[in-house]
Amino acid sequence: MAGDDLNASESAILIVLMVEAREVLNTELRKQYGLDVRKPQRDKLTRLHYVASRKSGSTYALQLDDKGWVRMQNDLDFTLRGATALGAALTALHASLRDRLLTRSGCATLTELFALSDVRAPAATRATEPSGPLQARIVSAYRALADEPGAWVSLRRLRPFFADVPRDDLDDSLRRLSREDGVNIAPESNQKTLTEPDIKAALRLGGQENHLLAIGV
């Protein structure tokens, strides 16, 4: 993450999108927070894959992207000339969320902490063998992302919930989970719609790259 050269305003945008934890229109950000994400900021954060953006009417829809969620696990620079106290407050708040509140919450990542619904594995499951809790977390994360049981969820959206888990371990758990009844992992049928993050998040299974997860089918 070092070397991305984020300034205080760009770091603050990431904080707001983390708190929103959803796709939000720039017009909403202006109305709710007085925050206007301008083109230079949007282009930079999109280029870094910290923010996903798309045109929506006359404005843009923005949300924290996979690498953005991972970036939030590391220090941000809120130093702003003429606003030392504000920068100090944001720095202290971010550090406290990551280093103190996250641990007490029982969540493993900030992605989980700010998810719109609880994605933690049930306490009873956490005490089981190592493979059990991780698979339970996958199911919980899926439920937080899916509009309804059996809906397809991209692995690109799922992976940020597991920034604390080695990729090989997560992939192994996904493969084991795919053998369970009602679980389906499949490739994207329209390969032309795949983005670079989609391709990087794919799971090698059954001799092909898979991009989607459905549970409850």
Side-chain angles (χ1 to χ4, degrees):
M1 302 302 173
D4 57 17
D5 195 30
L6 293 182
N7 61 34
S9 295
E10 293 157 352
S11 296
I13 290 169
L14 297 185
I15 287 283
V16 172
L17 293 179
M18 176 185 71
V19 171
E20 283 292 330
R22 63 183 178 93
E23 188 176 69
V24 57
L25 296 176
N26 196 37
T27 50
E28 293 182 67
L29 295 176
R30 285 199 298 266
K31 181 178 180 181
Q32 183 73 18
Y33 304 107
L35 174 65
D36 186 10
V37 182
R38 299 181 182 273
K39 185 178 187 301
Q41 299 167 320
R42 186 179 70 244
D43 288 349
K44 178 180 177 179
L45 294 173
T46 301
R47 185 177 66 252
L48 291 168
H49 298 294
Y50 292 166
V51 170
S53 66
R54 65 177 181 84
K55 195 80 167 66
S56 179
S58 61
T59 188
Y60 277 83
L62 308 165
Q63 64 179 330
L64 207 57
D65 210 345
D66 300 0
K67 288 187 178 180
W69 283 109
V70 175
R71 182 66 177 87
M72 298 307 298
Q73 298 292 134
N74 298 279
D75 291 336
L76 292 170
D77 182 7
F78 293 106
T79 305
L80 190 63
R81 189 174 301 173
T84 305
L86 177 61
L90 284 171
T91 300
L93 177 61
H94 178 236
S96 180
L97 283 172
R98 183 192 62 203
D99 301 332
R100 293 163 54 192
L101 183 59
L102 189 60
T103 300
R104 296 174 185 175
S105 72
C107 296
T109 65
L110 288 170
T111 321
E112 291 189 26
L113 183 64
F114 282 93
L116 298 182
S117 60
D118 193 358
V119 301
R120 294 171 298 174
T125 307
R126 294 180 198 151
T128 64
E129 58 182 314
S131 63
L134 188 50
Q135 289 185 42
R137 279 182 60 190
I138 292 171
V139 173
S140 295
Y142 169 83
R143 288 173 178 164
L145 294 169
D147 294 332
E148 60 184 1
W152 289 110
V153 168
S154 71
L155 295 182
R156 175 185 63 79
R157 295 178 62 206
L158 187 80
R159 288 193 184 276
F161 287 87
F162 302 91
D164 60 311
V165 177
R167 175 157 180 150
D168 287 347
D169 291 348
L170 179 58
D171 286 358
D172 286 345
S173 287
L174 283 167
R175 291 186 183 101
R176 286 195 293 271
L177 188 63
S178 70
R179 303 184 194 115
E180 301 289 334
D181 291 339
V183 178
N184 195 7
I185 296 179
E188 170 58 58
S189 58
N190 185 358
Q191 297 283 303
K192 292 181 180 180
T193 65
L194 294 175
T195 63
E196 182 181 350
D198 287 317
I199 294 170
K200 289 182 177 179
L203 173 72
R204 188 73 177 175
L205 179 67
Q208 59 185 349
E209 298 298 323
N210 296 270
H211 315 91
L212 302 168
L213 169 67
I215 300 177
V217 294

